[in-house]
Amino acid sequence: MAISVKEKRINDQQSLLLEGTYAVAYAVKLCRVKVITVYPITPSSAIAERLAEMVGDEELDAKYIKVESEHSAMASLIGASHVGVRTFTATSSHGLAYMHETLHWASGARLPIVMSNTNRSLGSPWSILAEQTDSLSQRDTGWIQFYCESNQEIFDTIIQSYRIAERVYIPAMINMDAFFSTHVLENIVIPSQEMVDSYLPEFKPKIKIDLNKPSAFGGVAPGDSYFEFKYKMEEDMLKAVDVAVKADNEFEEIFGRKYGIINCYLCEDAETILIMTGTAAGTGRVVIDNMRKKGKKVGLMKIRLFRPFPSRAIIDVLKNKIKIAVIDRNISRGVGGIFAQEIRAAFHNTKYHPPIFGFVAGLGGKDITPEQIENVLNYTIESDYPDREAYWLDIDV
Amino acid sequence: MIEIRIHGRGGQGVVVASKVLAMGFFVEGKYVQSFPFFGAERQGAPVAAFVRADDKKIHLRCKIYNPDYLIVLDQNLPFEINLTEGLKKGGIVIINSTKEPGRYNISSDFKVFTVDAGSVASKYGIGTKELPIVNTAILGAFCRITNLVNINSLKKAIKEFAPLKKKENAEAAIEIYNSINNV
């Protein structure tokens, strides 16, 4: 049977075995990034190392700048991005926290910087293992945020993020679980440079530092103009939901893969929906399959896009469900898991009010096991209403 | 899905063993996943790594609690840890050891093999004479005993992931593979 040109192109992609860190570096290379700043931090260090090799071996034509801190890593990219080139850095945990001030500046200056963050817990006490509290603490910095399940998804999301960021002039942060992604070796399909080039043409910003066309950058916005700037930023951030959906659809046209801003598994006829993010969502899928075999009407929703928060898409799926369970690998102490809070807020001004059970799990890299996830679903099915903001797995449930 | 847990001590190449074995399955067109036990690694301390292989995409992203196979790089480790914890009934244990399998007092629920990968690695100059690195050689035994990975696929995998002495590592694995007849 003859195959179409599109199918042939999709089949031409190369299958490799890569760790999450190398998948990131590979994507950055294929995106033809021009400036990379690095201040390596575990467990993202291998991203910087692999990129250094690529630049050193002249596989990647980029300026590779070693800086003295994460704060400088972002500050340098702010400078580079103003010149109108594609930029990248990788960080994690304390490194991201140290960047906090510059994250606000990058988004305020409308710079489409792309950064990967390996979700790692913050001290004290010390831990270098998986937890999302680092990036969720940056939720109000005005960056687009994605949370990824597999190395393939991380790779593809980096490529999509440049396309989205450069359309709305908002920086994007791609989050991946420490160790559960970074140090996991798994199958990944790598497209050709031509395919990526066709999806991601050269970045030509509307405004940049140009000697022939002088402009002022980073000035004072007196009076009401600051307010108007922020309004326009919010307007574009909200538009980014549709831009992300479109970028994902266009990605599928070329590469044959698609993720959705949310991803629903067996949700249609489900009565109880489990919401998860990151790598643990993969384990969640397996649990859903097992519970379906036992006749339980359960489904999984993975939230991939966190900022802008895709409230409408989420409510559309959840509105007629009987109960919702949310597992958070993060904590805002005093209110519980952060995704659970966002989902409760999304429901607030609707006429739908299913009970939303919040569960905190896997902080500091504690494994989130199939058994725990099944307990979460059984607890949710058997209880009428949650009696607290969050249940801690293995302690409360 | 096949699940494998690899035990050893920090410095013995447990993580490389998991990568090489994953690559062996990958060469044969399988979906694989390999990862270390996440924690602080110290020279000599017990460490573990995991490998999953399947004909379809692998979604599970947690540690392996109920492996089908155990590979042990250090002959004294079985006396120090609860080696067979979670191992499935009928599971296979392959230990790098000069001892007879019976010396380990492992439950008859499992099948135990010992192979002297240390002498073979030593012969090929892998590691030092006192501390040979057996992480690739023992995988030759895994291929022979389980028949899950072709030895030629393993050879390719060693060429990909062995950090040094790729040829010697491959030859050591092949020698062990050919030396086992009692499967």
Side-chain angles (χ1 to χ4, degrees), chain A residues 202-220:
Chain A
E202 193 186 342
F203 173 45
K204 287 182 182 150
K206 279 188 258 181
I207 301 168
K208 61 174 182 177
I209 293 179
D210 184 347
L211 290 176
N212 299 317
K213 213 177 135 193
S215 314
F217 298 88
V220 176

Side-chain angles (χ1 to χ4, degrees), chain A residues 15-17 19 149-150 179 183-187 279 282-283 285 367-370, chain B residues 19 22-23 26 30-36 38-39 59-63 65 161:
Chain A
S15 184
L16 291 178
L17 203 52
E19 287 179 17
E149 180 179 338
S150 68
F179 296 93
H183 287 56
V184 168
L185 190 68
E186 64 180 349
N187 305 52
T279 53
T283 310
R285 291 176 199 277
D367 214 8
I368 299 179
T369 66
Chain B
K19 288 183 180 182
M23 190 71 187
F26 175 79
K30 299 275 198 255
Y31 284 93
V32 296
Q33 205 185 64
S34 89
F35 52 101
F38 313 128
H59 292 293
L60 264 188
R61 287 177 184 279
C62 56
K63 286 180 216 161
Y65 294 95
F161 280 120

